Structure formats: structure tokens, C-alpha cells
Amino acid sequence: MSLSLGLLSVSFPLMTSLSQTRAWLSLSFSLPLSLWSTQTFPAMQPVSVWQWSLWGLLLCLLCSSCLGSPSPSTAPEKRAESQGLRFRLAGFPRKPFEGRVEIERAGEWGTICDDDFTLQAAHVLCRELGFTEATGWTHSAKYGPGTGRIWLDNLSCSGTEKSVTECASRGWGNSDCTHDEDAGVICKDQRLPGFSDFNVIEVEHNLQVEEVRLRAAVGRGRRPLPVTEGLVEVRLPDGWSQVCDKGWSAHNSHVVCGMLGFPSEKRVNTAFYRLLAQRQQHSFGLHGVACVGTEAHLSLCSLEFYRANDTARCPGGAPAVVSCVPGPLYAASSGQKKQQQPKPQGEARVRLKGGSHPGEGRVEVLKAGTWGTVCDRKWDLLAASVVCRELGFGSAREALSGARMGQGMGAIHLSEVRCSGQEPSLWKCPHKNITAEDCSHSQDAGVRCNLPYTGVDTKIRLSGGRSRHEGRVEVQIGGPGPLRWGLICGDDWGTLEAMVACRQLGLGYANHGLQETWYWDSGNVTEVVMSGVRCTGTELSLDQCAHHSTHIACKRTGTHFTAGVICSETASDLLLHSALVQETAYIEDRPLHMLYCAAEENCLARSARSANWPYGHRRLLRFSSQIHNLGRADFRPKAGRHSWVWHECHGHYHSMDIFTHYDILTPNGTKVAEGHKASFCLEDTECQEDVSKRYECANFGEQGITVGCWDLYRHDIDCQWIDITDVKPGNYILQVVINPNFEVAESDFTNNAMKCNCKYDGHRIWVHNCHIGDALSEEANRKFERYPGQTSNQII
């Protein structure tokens, strides 16, 4: 289209749409007047003000509709490619759908600061990378610090933006962060329909070490798993290759062992392997490996890949060989003698809680006889690896923040832990002692450690279930002849046994252990090959549980009564607030005429049956109990609503036969009085600030305890007591056990019991030193058992 206005003649590009016209006009008007000169258009002559006015009038006529704001349907879409941006995921160790976010702008790659970063921003970035959505995000350079510019800081997105350029920020390249604050994303492993991979660059190099293994050079087929010694092999895109041992060091071996789940390495007879290597053909893919020894992944070490046209690879060298020392949990299965791990000095002890698999969980440390958590500030792979190796596992696969393994309770002992990776214990790392105001349990740190491959998952499977998380349990046994699959007798099969089965399957926790599986077809497998299975719940496989040897003894025969499981990645975790028990304990002499309802529910001692009702009284030890759910799933009664029992006396439904046991024990463990409480109302009495109540017992409501909430049973409620009418004066132990029959699955049963010292003089009672059963060190527990006067039941 050509327009002529007096001396001014300008050709316009043909606009096919109003949006294109607007875009061209916007560009035109954005040019300074100085550009509209003879230098820009040599054919143009100077024009008068009148001519410029005509020019402006014509342009306004062409764009008359621009006086109104454009509707969303006609506005141009701001796509990443239109902005000249490219995105990639980087860092190690990671999966293809997670990593440090890097952006290329103006030909330069850079990162994003984690300040104000949210899940909504992660959603936008994951869509830029070609994934449907984000499942999480990371901070503090979890995937390692990047290099170059920090392109974005204080990034704020609503989550609906089509491009990260539509989100608010401090502006491109304007940041006050360091690369220790690089943000990462965890995307859902599901691609956008029709997305082209041209905008996704997985790694900086064409090659990367994807996986490491040890290949046993001798005795293959006879050596038990896990393999602890052998030739180092790395999986590259073209397959498995060996590593040239020229310049190989103990630091390299330390890193390899850590990746394979072993805490340390040991010397190996290289002369033997070199002699063996002379008789074999080798395929080398890696050389020049130089590790510091603190790396969590071999890809973080300095290394070189062989070029495809290399003809003389590893001259004068041989395949690298590594020998690893297994941790205590795996030493027996590897055929080695159990290594005696040196205990940390003093009370510097560490444990993991709340994990669904071995070697993962919330990090808890012991300080001054009290267990507490670790704040996730500056928590990284180096510190997580120190924890993992201290506990007998390999290096850390993940350093978890934000209470990903559930929130702890009580003290937070450490913050800003900065490890070099060479420390023997987390307590040896520089750290900051904090107060309760500095950090909250929503910031509890956790770890996932590398574990040795034991192969136990191949000896068990589920059949007949609606999903891979449920079904009838089938195990593989090897007797005379070929290996065969068989079923497990359902007699006495319960939650603890199901927990071991789910762990062996790699499916997390057990929601239910089923003794009847007639509704799940077992297909061609009909033989029962295992019976009498009894587990403690901590075993790595069913083989480690007690069970009948070759003789199968099953009360109910047939495939209808065989064992089954329903597994889950999350579970509840109940914990009693022990300090509240100690603060609220007292004695009440309650008249018998007020205890008819309690007697009906069997909440009194046996001698109450022969009492002179309604005259006289019973002496009751009363206290409040506050039961928290610290797990990652709601605590729900095992029985469905249809089987709850209505109790007219108290006006509520019982959803569990026994929810809590209360016992008075002598110092040697003899029970002298007992109480129990049916779950006459499981509900959310109170919750943390950011958690809403979900369960209440009124009007036949749903019963349970939400994650982050607690159920309070006040001291003045019926059956919230122990009948001590027949107890003689003396020194005792008060014991409270939650979920005593393991009716409902939990992530941790070791914290379900509480103990208190208890002194009774016949008129008054003193309850002190209350603690969760596993809360004190061995030394503190010994002191608890020997406190003054504990040796006899006489008043002192």
C-alpha cells in the first residue's frame, strides 16, 4: 500500500490483520523524530508542519479502533520464542524433568535467584521447558551453583502466564544474589502436546555419566548382592563403558562407593585385576577422572570422555577397580563380617525419621539428651552426604528442605550447617545454634541417601490388585529345582508384616495388611510356600522375618486366605505430647455412683466388679493426653463407619477397639494397674496455623486426625485415667502406648510409647521425667531405670 501526501511518499507493508497494523504502528511511533530524516529515507525531502499534521491524521484514521483497549482474544500472545529466550535444566544429580533453571538471553546463559520464588513461578517455567506443570521447586542451588549472569531476581508469577516475561521481577540482569541461591524446578514428567524439544537443552555437554555400577570380575553368579568390589562401569548414551585407571585415586573410589550406597572405600589388589585385564577385551569411555572426594555424583568431578575416533585408549592402563565397605544394615547380606561403626563422641548422634524407604527421612540430632531437628537454611548435598555416610549409607541423592519428610516436634538444634563433605559427623560441621524464633518445623531438613542394590525387589510381587500398590503377595523361593512363585499364609499377617512387604517392593508404607484375598485372583499361582511370618517391621525383606522353615502350617487353607497388602507412599505418625502428661497428672477419689458408664466400658480395675455399688469410691490417676499427627497422611480408623459402635452412655461412636493403653509398671516391668481408651472420638481439637480442621465426631461425623493437627483428651473425660485403687505406695513407671495393636499403619511405631517416673506415697503422686520411648540416649535410659528409690517399692 502506497500513500502520497504532498511531498511525502511512504510505502506501508501490507497488513493482514489489525494486530499486525498495531504492531507496525507501535514500532513506527517508537522511532525518534531524528530518524525520520533524509538519512533514514534518502528520497524524503523536508516537510512542513502542515504536511506532518496530514500524516498524523491519516495514521489516526488507519488506526481509529486503537482508541479502545484491545480485547484479550485479539491481543498477540507473548511466547518465549518471540522474546528470543531459551531454557534448559542443568545440574547434578537430577532426573530429566528436574534441575537448575537456566535461561539464554542475548546469547548468554544465566540463572534465576530463589528470592520470592514460588510454585506458581515453577509452573510457568516448566511450561516454558515443555512440561505440563510443576510438582515442586528447590532453592539454595540444590542442583549446584550455576555460572554467568543471574538474569531474574524476585520473580513473581501468578502461574497462569504464558511466558516468564509476563511475570514481575527486578528486571533482566538486576539481582543482588549469588549463585548459591540459584532456583530449580521439579516438573511433572509429562510433555505438552506437540511441544518441540528445540527449546530444551538437558545438559551443557553432549555426554554425561548417567549411572555407575560395579561389575564383579570373578565369581559372578555366586557372589551375593550387593556387589561391593569390581570393575567400575559408567552408562553413557551408547551403553556401558569402563573407566581408564590412569590417575585413579582413593577420592575417586570414595565418590563411586557413595553413589552405590556405601559409606566408604577400601584398598584393592590392583595387581590381580591388572593380570586379569590382560586376558580380556575392554571398552573404555572415560578417563582423566579427578575427584576431590566430597562430590555426591561422579559427574561433578573433573573428567574426560574418549572421542569416537580414539584408536589407542588408555595406553599402559587398565580398567578402574573399586572395593567398597558396606554399612551395618547391608554387611550381613553382602557376605562380609559386620563392620563395627565407630560411635560418635559424646552425644553427637543422628537419626532419620518419617521416610518411606531405608536411608531417607527427616534429620534429627541428639543434644543434651534431647532429640531435635535441623533447620534447612543452607542445607545442601554436602551436609546431607555427611549424614548419609554417618548412618552407614552412601552419599546423598537429595537434600530435602521444607519438611518434605514431615514436621518434627520439640527442639530445633542446628541451623545453617555448612559441611565440606569430609566430616565424620554432622556435629563436626560448622553450624549455628538457634532459638525457637529463628526457624520453624516447617523448615525441617531431610535427606534421601544412595542405597546399595540388593535385588530383594525381584523376589516379591503383587498380583490381582487394581493398581501396582495393592494385591496378593507372591514370593519367589528356590528349593531343589527351578525357582518358583508362591503365596503366603494369611494367618497372623498384619501391619508389621505388610510394612516389610511394601518396603521390599519399593512401594513405601503399608496402609493395610490383609489376611483374606479371595477378591484378588492369583492367576496360575496357587501354592502356599510361606507361613508363620512374624516381623518386627524394620526388616528389609520377608526372608529376614521369622517364619516356618520348610513345613507349611496354615489354619485356613486355600488361596482365599493368603496374605495381601495395600501400600502407600505416605503414612500418618502419631506422637504423644509427653510434657502435658507430666504437667496435668493428679489423683482423684471418684464416687462409684458416678462411674457406671466407665464400668460399662471396662475402664476400671477388676476389683471394681466386687465393690459395694453405688457406695464407696475408686482412686484414679488422671492426666491429659495430646496426640499429634506428624506424618504425611491423615490418621484414619481402620474400621469403616458401618462398623462403628454407638455408646449411648457417652453419646458417641467408637471407631477403634483400643486406641491407647495406660499402664503402671514396677521397675522390673511387672504390670500392677492398667487402663485403656477406645477411640470414642478421634477428631481435630486444634491445628497448626496453616492447617484447617477436617474431622469431628459430632453428628456422626468423620473421625481422624489431620496432618498438622492434634486430638486432645482432657483429664476430666471418662476413661482418661488409670484405676490405682489397689496399687501400694512405691516407685513405679507410668507407660502410655498409642495404637498399641498396630491397627492403623504409621511411618514410625518407635515413638508411640511414652514413659514417666512415678512416685506414689498413698495420698499423693509425683510424675516426672516423662519422655517418648526412644527419645533418650542409652545412657539417659539407664539413669532413668536407676533413679533413687527405683530398686525397691518402699517409700524413701
Side-chain angles (χ1 to χ4, degrees):
M1 179 174 67
S2 179
L3 296 178
S4 179
L5 290 172
L7 298 176
L8 179 63
S9 177
V10 181
S11 294
F12 292 86
L14 184 61
M15 305 299 174
T16 59
S17 67
L18 179 61
S19 63
Q20 290 179 342
T21 304
R22 287 186 184 135
W24 188 90
L25 291 174
S26 175
L27 175 63
S28 300
F29 284 127
S30 67
L31 294 174
L33 286 175
S34 61
L35 295 180
W36 291 87
S37 65
T38 55
Q39 294 177 355
T40 307
F41 297 101
M44 289 180 61
Q45 300 296 325
V47 295
S48 65
V49 173
W50 177 83
Q51 289 171 325
W52 275 113
S53 300
L54 287 177
W55 166 245
L57 177 62
L58 180 59
L59 291 179
C60 286
L61 289 173
L62 289 172
C63 191
S64 59
S65 62
C66 68
L67 296 174
S69 60
S71 63
S73 61
T74 59
E77 292 186 358
K78 293 180 74 175
R79 299 302 300 166
E81 51 264 33
S82 69
Q83 303 297 320
L85 302 179
R86 291 203 302 166
F87 298 80
R88 69 184 179 190
L89 293 172
F92 295 98
R94 63 179 185 82
K95 297 176 182 177
F97 47 84
E98 65 178 354
R100 180 179 64 250
V101 180
E102 297 191 351
I103 304 176
E104 185 189 42
R105 185 175 187 267
E108 183 178 355
W109 285 100
T111 62
I112 300 175
C113 180
D114 61 12
D115 289 352
D116 297 334
F117 200 90
T118 62
L119 185 62
Q120 285 69 34
H123 283 311
V124 176
L125 287 164
C126 283
R127 288 196 295 270
E128 297 270 32
L129 289 158
F131 299 97
T132 55
E133 60 180 337
T135 60
W137 65 277
T138 65
H139 60 84
S140 304
K142 173 191 169 181
Y143 298 101
T147 57
R149 299 279 293 276
I150 298 178
W151 280 121
L152 293 173
D153 190 5
N154 298 111
L155 184 65
S156 177
C157 304
S158 67
T160 60
E161 294 86 352
K162 293 183 173 62
S163 170
V164 73
T165 58
E166 300 176 20
C167 300
S169 71
R170 297 180 59 165
W172 289 96
N174 185 9
S175 171
D176 59 358
C177 299
T178 67
H179 282 295
D180 286 336
E181 301 169 85
D182 284 344
V185 294
I186 305 168
C187 303
K188 185 175 182 180
D189 192 13
Q190 183 177 341
R191 286 288 192 181
L192 288 170
F195 186 86
S196 174
D197 281 347
F198 80 94
N199 204 34
V200 180
I201 301 176
E202 295 292 345
V203 291
E204 298 90 334
H205 310 289
N206 292 328
L207 291 175
Q208 63 171 314
V209 176
E210 298 180 4
E211 191 179 345
V212 175
R213 72 181 182 188
L214 292 182
R215 182 171 61 84
V218 292
R220 279 176 286 173
R222 297 191 303 271
R223 297 183 60 168
L225 294 175
V227 176
T228 59
E229 182 175 305
L231 307 181
V232 180
E233 295 188 337
V234 294
R235 187 163 66 88
L236 303 177
D238 294 333
W240 289 95
S241 298
Q242 293 169 342
V243 182
C244 180
D245 71 348
K246 294 186 71 173
W248 189 265
S249 68
H251 293 316
N252 299 349
S253 298
H254 192 68
V255 173
V256 169
C257 288
M259 289 182 63
L260 296 172
F262 303 112
S264 60
E265 78 291 345
K266 65 179 181 180
R267 296 187 62 179
V268 65
N269 185 356
T270 54
F272 166 77
Y273 282 97
R274 278 183 170 272
L275 184 63
L276 194 65
Q278 296 175 4
R279 310 175 192 171
Q280 299 174 342
Q281 296 243 340
H282 302 287
S283 173
F284 295 102
L286 202 62
H287 69 103
V289 180
C291 300
V292 177
T294 60
E295 296 88 349
H297 195 282
L298 195 64
S299 291
L300 298 176
C301 302
S302 173
L303 49 83
E304 295 181 58
F305 297 92
Y306 280 107
R307 294 186 297 273
N309 59 356
D310 269 349
T311 55
R313 296 191 174 189
C314 198
V321 180
V322 166
S323 182
C324 304
V325 178
L329 194 61
Y330 301 94
S333 61
S334 66
Q336 300 186 13
K337 292 183 179 180
K338 270 196 174 182
Q339 302 290 325
Q340 294 298 323
Q341 298 292 316
K343 290 186 178 180
Q345 296 296 318
E347 291 186 323
R349 291 175 53 188
V350 179
R351 69 182 183 186
L352 301 181
K353 288 289 185 180
S356 59
H357 304 281
E360 70 173 28
R362 178 178 63 252
V363 179
E364 296 189 355
V365 293
L366 185 67
K367 180 180 180 182
T370 304
W371 286 101
T373 60
V374 178
C375 184
D376 64 6
R377 291 178 187 168
K378 298 186 178 179
W379 186 250
D380 58 14
L381 277 176
L382 290 175
S385 293
V386 170
V387 170
C388 290
R389 292 185 188 274
E390 183 178 358
L391 294 172
F393 303 107
S395 54
R397 185 161 48 93
E398 287 185 82
L400 304 174
S401 58
R404 292 267 299 278
M405 288 296 170
Q407 296 189 20
M409 187 173 172
I412 301 175
H413 288 325
L414 302 178
S415 179
E416 298 186 20
V417 180
R418 302 299 284 175
C419 300
S420 68
Q422 298 175 337
E423 295 85 355
S425 170
L426 192 67
W427 284 99
K428 300 295 184 181
C429 300
H431 59 270
K432 178 182 176 184
N433 295 313
I434 64 172
T435 61
E437 291 77 21
D438 292 326
C439 201
S440 68
H441 282 296
S442 63
Q443 297 170 268
D444 284 343
V447 297
R448 284 196 177 102
C449 305
N450 287 316
L451 305 178
Y453 177 66
T454 60
V456 295
D457 57 320
T458 63
K459 299 179 181 178
I460 187 172
R461 67 187 184 188
L462 300 181
S463 66
R466 297 161 294 182
S467 72
R468 71 184 190 93
H469 288 88
E470 67 177 24
R472 181 176 285 164
V473 181
E474 298 179 2
V475 292
Q476 189 181 62
I477 63 168
L483 298 174
R484 67 187 192 278
W485 289 95
L487 305 173
I488 300 176
C489 177
D491 292 348
D492 300 322
W493 180 267
T495 302
L496 297 180
E497 289 72 32
M499 284 178 65
V500 176
C502 291
R503 182 181 299 117
Q504 184 176 354
L505 287 159
L507 297 178
Y509 306 109
N511 266 355
H512 297 288
L514 307 169
Q515 297 184 359
E516 297 183 18
T517 53
W518 50 269
Y519 39 82
W520 283 331
D521 181 20
S522 63
N524 297 327
V525 179
T526 59
E527 181 188 7
V528 176
V529 297
M530 185 178 287
S531 64
V533 180
R534 300 302 297 268
C535 305
T536 64
T538 60
E539 296 86 352
L540 297 178
S541 68
L542 291 174
D543 287 339
Q544 297 178 359
C545 300
H547 60 276
H548 298 152
S549 54
T550 56
H551 177 67
I552 305 301
C554 216
K555 298 175 185 175
R556 299 180 297 175
T557 58
T559 57
H560 288 182
F561 305 106
T562 52
V565 295
I566 301 176
C567 304
S568 172
E569 284 293 328
T570 59
S572 60
D573 184 19
L574 298 187
L575 184 70
L576 186 68
H577 186 14
S578 57
L580 185 64
V581 175
Q582 182 170 315
E583 294 167 4
T584 57
Y586 66 98
I587 286 178
E588 178 193 14
D589 289 333
R590 194 164 182 81
L592 278 173
H593 69 82
M594 301 177 67
L595 293 173
Y596 278 105
C597 197
E600 179 185 315
E601 295 190 13
N602 197 30
C603 293
L604 299 174
R606 295 176 184 174
S607 61
R609 300 174 187 174
S610 58
N612 186 24
W613 291 79
Y615 308 106
H617 66 272
R618 304 296 295 181
R619 175 156 291 184
L620 308 175
L621 169 58
R622 308 198 72 149
F623 50 88
S624 298
S625 64
Q626 185 173 297
I627 299 163
H628 294 246
N629 183 2
L630 302 182
R632 291 188 286 155
D634 294 351
F635 183 91
R636 299 296 311 279
K638 182 178 182 179
R641 293 168 62 114
H642 63 281
S643 59
W644 294 357
V645 179
W646 172 257
H647 280 252
E648 184 68 34
C649 188
H650 286 140
H652 53 240
Y653 282 91
H654 285 198
S655 57
M656 294 175 66
D657 291 336
I658 299 293
F659 179 54
T660 315
H661 276 167
Y662 305 137
D663 298 313
I664 296 291
L665 310 174
T666 63
N668 61 11
T670 304
K671 186 186 300 183
V672 295
E674 64 180 11
H676 76 275
K677 181 160 76 333
S679 66
F680 43 83
C681 182
L682 273 179
E683 67 176 3
D684 297 326
T685 307
E686 291 185 55
C687 300
Q688 298 169 1
E689 291 183 4
D690 56 342
V691 180
S692 300
K693 297 179 182 179
R694 297 183 58 189
Y695 303 106
E696 60 179 2
C697 58
N699 303 317
F700 195 33
E702 289 290 339
Q703 293 192 20
I705 307 177
T706 305
V707 175
C709 299
W710 55 89
D711 192 357
L712 174 63
Y713 289 90
R714 288 172 50 89
H715 57 83
D716 52 0
I717 295 177
D718 257 3
C719 296
Q720 185 59 37
W721 63 56
I722 303 176
D723 185 348
I724 62 170
T725 306
D726 306 320
V727 175
K728 298 177 181 179
N731 294 295
Y732 299 95
I733 296 173
L734 166 63
Q735 178 176 276
V736 179
V737 183
I738 309 168
N739 193 16
N741 299 331
F742 312 112
E743 286 189 45
V744 178
E746 298 184 46
S747 62
D748 185 6
F749 287 112
T750 64
N751 59 8
N752 282 27
M754 183 212 71
K755 294 179 180 179
C756 301
N757 289 134
C758 188
K759 182 175 181 179
Y760 175 49
D761 67 358
H763 305 284
R764 294 167 298 174
I765 197 162
W766 292 267
V767 175
H768 59 100
N769 197 21
C770 292
H771 65 275
I772 302 302
D774 68 343
L776 294 184
S777 62
E778 294 177 7
E779 180 183 357
N781 269 319
R782 286 194 296 270
K783 289 181 179 178
F784 171 80
E785 294 167 359
R786 297 197 309 263
Y787 77 92
Q790 190 80 329
T791 55
S792 67
N793 250 7
Q794 302 297 321
I795 298 298
I796 58 172

